[in-house]
């Protein structure tokens, strides 16, 4: 299977940058997991997503997916796994379990968080249907393979690639003087009803409020920073390009600057400003133009770099394009979509790949908002300042866990 334009940069860029570009979902269920029922659920879900049943291989000077008829690997325990390797039957995703925890590891090169979320939902659906007898959810049983395999970036209109200049941002590892280290993840739990009431009272959303609180935290640690604090907020671009069912990478970005003017505003006005920025940058025409430009750039890079080595180098530059221009990143895919499954979930966490110095991914299930904060520096000054922000606004929280990142390795073809 050929790699589409929407996925190309993610695959070749990760290879060129030497990054394990994988995501780990962690779900805590109400009861201890039944391994036999889980195995059946994974097998059934695999049939629902045939286009994810592949192995990434080298074919001449290109990378592509070949069919993989081996079963998806299910591991007991929560140890870090290596995707696309013999230990995971050469699949680009794998499942693990321990006690009442389920882990889904997935390669970000083949899909984004929305696509991974759909696979996770299908596994949990078949598991909960067998264990608890929940009602049918047709969309998790039946695939619209053609629509799900379509990549909108393969059909968007051609545009002129715009010349873009970026403002250098304050970065924690260079300007902030923090010590580069192995990525560490903090999982923070907040009662969902409390946080939702809080963000609504300040004209905000969970994702944009997290952007604001993190900006405030960094600003408090570095009040004399000369470069701006610039953050990125991930947008699901599917609705803007008429591709709701696609399971390829289909993402846009909103960019915020936590300026001195914004920093001097009351929190509610900050919420209004960030909501406005999100609205403007999420307009259909703006998102479509961005994806079209990305597709044209990918085409141009492929055409001018025929060798695998050249493509690795060119796309690695794109992959690392945020270095020096983004202070931190936030992503929130929204509240868990399926209440009948959510009734049996205590926690829903997402551990991201190590592609930014500081990033926060939100999850919402089981009456709890979970913030997974990943940093690739040794000091804990920023996360502690973030905790201080939560305390300042009387937002109750608990540290669920903290430690070195556990996202999967990925064995790239050479």
């Amino acid at each position: 299977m050929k790699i589409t334009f929407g996925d190309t940069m993610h695959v070749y860029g990760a290879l060129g940058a030497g990054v394990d570009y994988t995501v780990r979902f962690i779900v805590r269920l109400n009861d201890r997991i039944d391994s036999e029922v889980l195995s059946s659920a994974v097998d059934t879900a695999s049939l629902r997503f045939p286009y994810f049943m592949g192995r990434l291989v080298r074919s001449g000077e290109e990378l592509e997916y070949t069919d993989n008829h081996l079963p998806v690997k299910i591991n007991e325990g929560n140890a870090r796994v290596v995707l696309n390797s013999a230990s995971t039957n050469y699949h680009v995703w794998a499942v693990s379990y321990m006690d009442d925890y389920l882990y889904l590891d997935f390669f970000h090169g083949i899909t984004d968080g929305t696509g991974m979320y759909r696979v996770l939902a299908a596994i949990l659906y078949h598991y909960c249907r067998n264990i608890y007898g929940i009602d049918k959810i047709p969309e998790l049983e039946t695939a619209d393979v053609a629509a799900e395999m379509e990549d909108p970036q393969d059909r968007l209109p051609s545009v002129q690639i715009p010349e873009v200049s970026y403002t250098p941002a304050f970065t924690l590892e260079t300007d902030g003087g923090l010590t580069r280290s192995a990525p560490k993840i903090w999982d923070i739990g907040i009662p969902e009803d409390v946080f939702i009431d809080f963000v609504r009272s300040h004209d905000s959303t969970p994702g944009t409020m997290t952007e604001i609180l993190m900006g405030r935290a960094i600003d408090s640690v570095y009040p004399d920073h000369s470069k701006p604090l610039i953050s990125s907020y991930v947008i699901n671009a599917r609705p803007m390009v008429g591709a709701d069912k696609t399971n390829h990478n289909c993402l846009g970005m909103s960019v915020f600057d936590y300026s001195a003017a914004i920093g001097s505003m009351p929190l509610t006005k900050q919420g209004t400003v960030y909501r406005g920025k999100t609205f403007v940058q999420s307009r259909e025409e703006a998102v479509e133009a961005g994806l079209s430009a990305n597709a044209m750039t990918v085409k141009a890079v492929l055409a001018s770099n025929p060798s695998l080595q050249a493509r690795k180098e060119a796309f690695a530059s794109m992959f690392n394009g945020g270095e020096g221009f983004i202070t931190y990143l936030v992503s929130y895919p929204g509240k868990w979509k399926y209440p009948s499954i959510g009734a049996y979930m205590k926690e829903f966490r997402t551990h991201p790949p190590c592609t930014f110095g500081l990033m926060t991914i939100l999850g919402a299930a089981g009456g709890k908002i979970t913030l997974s904060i990943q940093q690739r520096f040794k000091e804990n000054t920023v996360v502690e300042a973030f905790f201080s922000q939560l305390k300042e606004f009387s937002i109750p929280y608990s540290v669920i866990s903290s430690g070195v990142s556990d996202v999967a390795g990925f064995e790239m073809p050479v």
Side-chain angles (χ1 to χ4, degrees):
M1 183 173 68
K2 292 284 188 180
I3 296 173
T4 63
F5 288 134
D7 293 341
T8 295
M9 186 277 293
H10 298 271
V11 177
Y12 286 91
L15 173 60
V19 172
D20 290 319
Y21 198 39
T22 63
V23 174
R24 167 166 275 197
F25 287 119
I26 303 172
V27 176
R28 188 178 186 186
L29 297 175
N30 286 356
D31 303 300
R32 188 180 182 88
I33 290 174
D34 183 313
S35 60
E36 291 186 6
V37 176
L38 176 61
S39 179
S40 175
V42 171
D43 288 344
T44 306
S46 299
L47 299 175
R48 166 68 180 74
F49 300 95
Y51 42 83
F52 287 149
M53 299 295 288
R55 176 186 181 184
L56 184 65
V57 300
R58 178 172 180 172
S59 176
E61 297 303 308
E62 297 184 351
L63 299 177
E64 65 180 20
Y65 295 101
T66 60
D67 291 340
N68 186 345
H69 300 292
L70 295 172
V72 170
K73 192 68 181 294
I74 302 175
N75 304 286
E76 185 173 4
N78 64 352
R80 186 172 184 259
V81 303
V82 181
L83 302 176
N84 211 52
S85 73
S87 64
T88 50
N89 284 344
Y90 300 104
H91 280 290
V92 295
W93 60 284
V95 175
S96 302
Y97 70 96
M98 185 177 71
D99 299 327
D100 53 354
Y101 284 94
L102 172 72
Y103 306 85
L104 174 64
D105 293 289
F106 227 105
F107 178 45
H108 201 332
I110 199 169
T111 189
D112 58 18
T114 297
M116 300 175 202
Y117 182 109
R118 290 169 175 169
V119 175
L120 176 64
I123 294 170
L124 289 172
Y125 163 67
H126 289 292
Y127 182 84
C128 290
R129 187 157 171 76
N130 284 323
I131 293 286
Y132 304 112
I134 65 172
D135 292 338
K136 282 191 174 184
I137 304 176
E139 68 184 88
L140 297 180
E141 290 192 342
T142 306
D144 185 348
V145 173
E148 293 169 15
M149 289 186 67
E150 182 206 15
D151 186 339
Q153 292 192 53
D154 288 347
R155 54 140 169 101
L156 288 174
S158 298
V159 297
Q160 178 141 8
I161 301 173
E163 292 187 15
V164 181
S165 60
Y166 297 100
T167 301
F170 178 86
T171 59
L172 295 162
E173 298 158 296
T174 52
D175 305 303
L178 299 182
T179 309
R180 187 76 176 258
S181 69
K184 180 179 181 179
I185 296 180
W186 304 72
D187 289 322
I188 314 302
I190 300 174
E192 183 179 12
D193 56 349
V194 174
F195 196 58
I196 295 300
D197 287 346
F198 172 74
V199 299
R200 286 175 177 169
S201 69
H202 293 291
D203 194 26
S204 192
T205 65
T208 52
M209 179 54 72
T210 302
E211 289 268 0
I212 294 167
L213 294 177
M214 190 61 75
R216 292 170 65 99
I218 297 171
D219 192 49
S220 71
V221 177
Y222 300 99
D224 299 321
H225 60 87
S226 56
K227 292 180 182 177
L229 303 181
I230 299 177
S231 63
S232 180
Y233 185 61
V234 178
I235 297 171
N236 174 16
R238 289 166 174 77
M240 296 81 167
V241 293
D244 287 333
K245 292 186 177 182
T246 183
N247 274 333
H248 289 283
N249 282 281
C250 191
L251 300 171
M253 293 281 184
S254 289
V255 178
F256 307 106
D257 59 319
Y258 189 84
S259 64
I262 293 174
S264 66
M265 295 176 180
L267 186 63
T268 301
K269 285 192 175 180
Q270 291 179 342
T272 302
V273 168
Y274 271 58
R275 277 175 62 89
K277 287 176 177 285
T278 303
F279 177 77
V280 169
Q281 295 179 76
S282 299
R283 290 175 298 121
E284 181 178 304
E285 57 270 31
V287 173
E288 181 174 314
L291 289 187
S292 295
N294 179 74
M296 295 301 294
T297 301
V298 167
K299 291 179 185 179
V301 171
L302 289 173
S304 58
N305 294 277
S307 74
L308 179 59
Q309 182 59 33
R311 290 175 177 181
K312 286 167 54 178
E313 294 172 0
F315 285 113
S317 179
M318 293 175 61
F319 189 85
N320 293 323
E323 291 289 344
F325 302 102
I326 297 292
T327 310
Y328 61 97
L329 177 144
V330 173
S331 177
Y332 177 46
K335 184 176 179 177
W336 181 258
K337 183 179 177 182
Y338 304 100
S340 63
I341 301 171
Y344 301 98
M345 297 168 65
K346 290 181 179 178
E347 294 173 8
F348 177 37
R349 300 181 253 156
T350 305
H351 290 178
C354 183
T355 52
F356 286 89
L358 179 68
M359 57 198 307
T360 303
I361 313 296
L362 284 75
K368 184 184 298 181
I369 295 278
T370 304
L371 285 69
S372 294
I373 303 174
Q374 178 176 278
Q375 61 180 57
R376 62 182 186 193
F377 42 82
K378 181 179 179 181
E379 296 82 1
N380 297 327
T381 49
V382 173
V383 74
E384 288 170 355
F386 184 80
F387 293 159
S388 294
Q389 288 294 313
L390 297 178
K391 293 174 184 176
E392 179 179 339
F393 294 107
S394 301
I395 302 171
Y397 71 92
S398 62
V399 177
I400 299 171
S401 67
S402 64
V404 176
S405 174
D406 57 354
V407 299
F410 193 88
E411 190 173 287
M412 280 286 188
V414 294

